[in-house]
Amino acid sequence: MDNLAFDTMIGAYLLDPGKRAYDLDSLALEFFNYKKVSITELIGTGKKQINFSQVPIEKATSYSCEDADFTFRLKKHLEPKIIDMKLQPLLNDIEMPLISVLGDMEEAGVRIDTNFLGELSKEYGAKLAELEKKIYDECGEEFNLNSPQQLGRILFDKLKLKSTRRTAKGGSRATSVDILTKLAEEHHVPRMMLEYRQLTKLKSTYIDALPLMVNHRTGLVHTSFNQTIAATGRLSSTDPNLQNIPIKTDEGREIRKAFIPRADDSKILSADYSQIELRIMAHFANDPMMIASFQKGEDIHRRTAAEVYGVDINDVTPAQRRKAKTANFAIIYGVSAYGLAQQSELSFTESKDFIQVYFERYPGIKSYMDRSIEFARNNGFVSTMFNRRRYLPDISAKSVQARQFAERIAINMPIQGTAADMIKIAMIHIAQRMKGMKSKMILQVHDELVFDVYTGELEKLKNIVKTEMEYAVELKVPIKVDLAVGNNWLEAK
DNA sequence: ATAAGCACGC
DNA sequence: GACGTACGTGCTTATA
């Protein structure tokens, strides 16, 4: 698989990663205005779908020739554009070599402890049945707890709680977590609904769904990593999505115990980039204070709190650090004072002051943001350290909403995208050095790599992984990777 | 089938 | 005065 010459999906994605689809049919239509025969015209859909081998040979022949023809035409059309836009290194040194790395990871698969999930399903199922009964009792009637519409009727019509917000699209009365959390101060039902929502989410999306995804031949779960979905250059994972396995709550973390080593003599190794996006921002912004802090190996959120609150780093309170941490993440996304207030414990006024002092202490950050937006206005796009590009057609839009959205992307995409470039480079180098080893790279979760490592190879692999991740790209700040080993994914954290 | 609302991750 | 945090996937309900 390493002798691939070109890939039309990836080529078109690098030329413009903001598009909806890169499949052959879409690209043929877009670039040649040609409507190909769709596969469903040959094999049908749903229950009546047949195998391609059952398609009459004449139809199969012309279909296949059309595929080959347009693949070649697209290659000839896309490659010069790749060269013009200086995307060759990104294509040839990162995205193309990554194809086989991802293929190997998908094929390697992940072992899931289905017995453990079965037990967890019973446990959470019992808790849910109990909750369900209590909620019906408290409401004086039964309704579908999974229906936001019916819940709205109960909360706002029957129990007379105050509806504070409408949903963005349908305009119905919102019952999302922030609303229910507020209402939980004055009533049991919203509090219990929050618990119900959390547990049903865990049970339906993970606990009950994952065992169904175990491959009958291998006994393992094989996700698909998609290389041409995210507009920032990140990967995505589907069927199942193994990039959103719970970790925040104790109930959710239990699920990570089900991700286990494939053999008696292997372990799970997890390697995490520490604060990678803030480090990249410090690098781009060339901000003296933030760079110095990373060079000293400080806790960046404590340093931020110390600067903003004007106290010694050793005197920062937990509450101050919490607020600084929220602010640091919000800054990466280009948040407003209002947004920060919504997200944190800060009031609107406190948020405004916080952001003002933040930019006084980290002047480089402010000028990075202004420069990014200015660049986008002048050029119509922004890009990462490795020339990955994203177009921002709305950067000068009349609509305030559309324009501000484009401005936030102008700030965030180069940071998030450079982090994506970096871990992709590390993955390629690691895969190269793992050749001949029994251990497997099995997952990528944006700033984390997960391995199923044989104990005899543990020390060697730890060294390879740490080195290749930390030295994939050179920044003005040191890059730190945390390693952890365990008998499941939770222990390896 | 598709949209809406919601919730999980980074 | 608007507007109000980036990138994803998947579940269930409601509607067509």
Side-chain angles (χ1 to χ4, degrees):
Chain A
M1 207 151 77
D2 285 324
N3 61 350
L4 299 176
F6 194 81
D7 185 300
T8 58
M9 289 186 86
I10 292 174
Y13 168 71
L14 294 183
L15 288 170
D16 181 1
K19 291 200 292 216
R20 193 133 36 99
Y22 301 91
D23 59 280
L24 198 51
D25 292 12
S26 303
L27 296 181
L29 187 64
E30 181 185 346
F31 291 107
F32 304 117
N33 200 25
Y34 183 87
K35 213 168 149 49
K36 286 177 68 261
V37 175
S38 76
I39 186 72
T40 55
E41 283 175 51
L42 269 68
I43 64 172
T45 54
K47 282 182 179 168
K48 285 182 288 183
Q49 195 167 78
I50 56 169
N51 193 288
F52 190 77
S53 65
Q54 299 165 272
V55 174
I57 191 70
E58 293 78 19
K59 284 188 175 182
T61 303
S62 59
Y63 175 85
S64 304
C65 289
E66 203 173 71
D67 264 12
D69 183 19
F70 277 92
T71 303
F72 191 53
R73 289 195 209 192
L74 278 166
K75 192 259 189 188
K76 285 194 287 186
H77 181 80
L78 297 171
E79 200 164 40
K81 292 174 183 273
I82 295 276
I83 294 167
D84 279 355
M85 286 174 48
K86 305 202 182 325
L87 288 167
Q88 271 172 310
L90 181 59
L91 178 69
N92 295 322
D93 302 339
I94 299 182
E95 299 297 343
M96 293 300 296
L98 189 67
I99 296 173
S100 62
V101 175
L102 296 177
D104 289 347
M105 291 168 70
E106 293 178 358
E107 195 179 339
V110 184
R111 186 173 177 205
I112 302 289
D113 188 340
T114 52
N115 289 331
F116 175 77
L117 289 179
E119 291 303 313
L120 207 54
S121 180
K122 281 187 222 159
E123 188 187 321
Y124 287 16
K127 277 193 196 176
L128 279 167
E130 213 173 297
L131 261 175
E132 196 176 333
K133 207 160 145 275
K134 276 194 202 159
I135 294 170
Y136 291 157
D137 207 41
E138 193 97 22
C139 294
E141 69 174 287
E142 299 193 358
F143 62 102
N144 189 339
L145 298 177
N146 297 314
S147 163
Q149 195 182 71
Q150 295 183 36
L151 176 64
R153 183 175 56 76
I154 295 287
L155 291 180
F156 307 122
D157 295 337
K158 184 156 188 185
L159 301 177
K160 307 284 182 214
L161 295 169
K162 284 274 176 294
S163 165
T164 48
R165 208 187 67 213
R166 295 274 166 173
T167 60
K169 284 178 185 163
S172 48
R173 292 169 297 189
T175 65
S176 51
V177 62
D178 51 321
I179 307 276
L180 293 186
T181 304
K182 192 76 194 142
L183 295 177
E185 291 170 14
E186 48 184 305
H187 206 284
H188 289 308
V189 171
R191 181 183 57 73
M192 290 189 287
M193 275 307 304
L194 284 167
E195 208 178 329
Y196 178 85
R197 285 244 179 101
Q198 194 212 350
L199 290 177
T200 45
K201 174 71 180 179
L202 298 176
K203 190 165 182 292
S204 66
T205 306
Y206 306 101
I207 299 170
D208 292 341
L210 281 172
L212 303 177
M213 299 297 296
V214 173
N215 182 289
H216 294 302
R217 189 170 54 81
T218 63
L220 305 170
V221 170
H222 304 267
T223 186
S224 292
F225 287 108
N226 201 312
Q227 219 173 331
T228 61
I229 293 282
T232 54
R234 275 189 176 183
L235 300 176
S236 80
S237 157
T238 53
D239 307 303
N241 180 358
L242 296 184
Q243 291 183 321
N244 74 342
I245 302 303
I247 187 139
K248 277 195 332 223
T249 66
D250 286 338
E251 292 86 351
R253 287 164 73 88
E254 283 297 299
I255 294 165
R256 294 206 166 211
K257 290 185 183 168
F259 288 73
I260 56 175
R262 64 193 54 218
D264 289 342
D265 56 345
S266 73
K267 302 269 181 197
I268 299 296
L269 165 67
S270 163
D272 267 84
Y273 277 116
S274 161
Q275 313 292 357
I276 192 61
E277 294 194 348
L278 281 173
R279 287 174 203 264
I280 290 169
M281 183 170 74
H283 171 88
F284 280 151
N286 203 12
D287 184 271
M289 182 77 75
M290 199 173 277
I291 288 175
S293 181
F294 278 126
Q295 282 171 344
K296 280 185 262 181
E298 290 176 348
D299 174 334
I300 191 64
H301 303 313
R302 290 184 73 87
R303 167 52 62 196
T304 301
E307 294 299 326
V308 171
Y309 291 109
V311 299
D312 189 275
I313 193 163
N314 299 307
D315 298 334
V316 170
T317 67
Q320 286 173 330
R321 184 185 183 277
R322 222 171 29 246
K323 290 171 194 174
K325 185 177 174 180
T326 310
N328 273 328
F329 288 119
I331 293 287
I332 292 174
Y333 301 141
V335 75
S336 65
Y338 177 91
L340 181 58
Q342 291 297 308
Q343 171 74 30
S344 69
E345 316 152 45
L346 298 168
S347 70
F348 177 72
T349 317
E350 286 173 319
S351 292
K352 239 173 78 183
D353 294 347
F354 195 105
I355 290 171
Q356 193 197 326
V357 181
Y358 187 102
F359 287 142
E360 280 169 15
R361 304 308 298 166
Y362 294 132
I365 305 298
K366 174 66 177 153
S367 75
Y368 161 75
M369 293 176 146
D370 294 342
R371 272 188 288 121
S372 276
I373 293 169
E374 190 58 24
F375 183 92
R377 271 193 207 122
N378 294 331
N379 299 281
F381 67 89
V382 287
S383 43
T384 69
M385 190 178 282
F386 292 86
N387 211 25
R388 188 188 301 281
R389 183 182 283 205
R390 180 172 180 183
Y391 291 97
L392 299 172
D394 287 341
I395 195 70
S396 301
K398 289 201 185 73
S399 154
V400 176
Q401 188 177 1
R403 191 174 64 245
Q404 289 185 346
F405 188 54
E407 289 174 355
R408 289 195 294 275
I409 298 171
I411 293 167
N412 176 264
M413 184 274 174
I415 300 171
Q416 190 181 119
T418 298
D421 298 342
M422 186 184 293
I423 196 166
K424 284 176 173 179
I425 292 167
M427 289 167 75
I428 294 162
H429 291 167
I430 291 166
Q432 180 66 36
R433 291 183 64 182
M434 282 180 73
K435 283 190 176 151
M437 291 176 79
K438 271 174 82 182
S439 302
K440 307 275 189 190
M441 178 154 43
I442 56 175
L443 293 174
Q444 189 254 40
V445 192
H446 310 306
D447 64 355
E448 174 189 12
L449 294 176
V450 182
F451 300 83
D452 193 322
V453 52
Y454 284 85
T455 48
E457 298 175 343
L458 187 55
E459 288 313 309
K460 184 181 172 196
L461 187 63
K462 277 164 74 173
N463 177 50
I464 291 173
V465 169
K466 190 172 169 71
T467 308
E468 296 301 341
M469 286 178 79
E470 290 185 344
Y471 294 98
V473 172
E474 191 175 328
L475 301 182
K476 292 165 184 161
V477 296
I479 296 169
K480 187 169 163 245
V481 168
D482 296 318
L483 300 180
V485 180
N487 286 313
N488 59 58
W489 197 5
L490 181 60
E491 276 185 16
K493 263 291 191 182

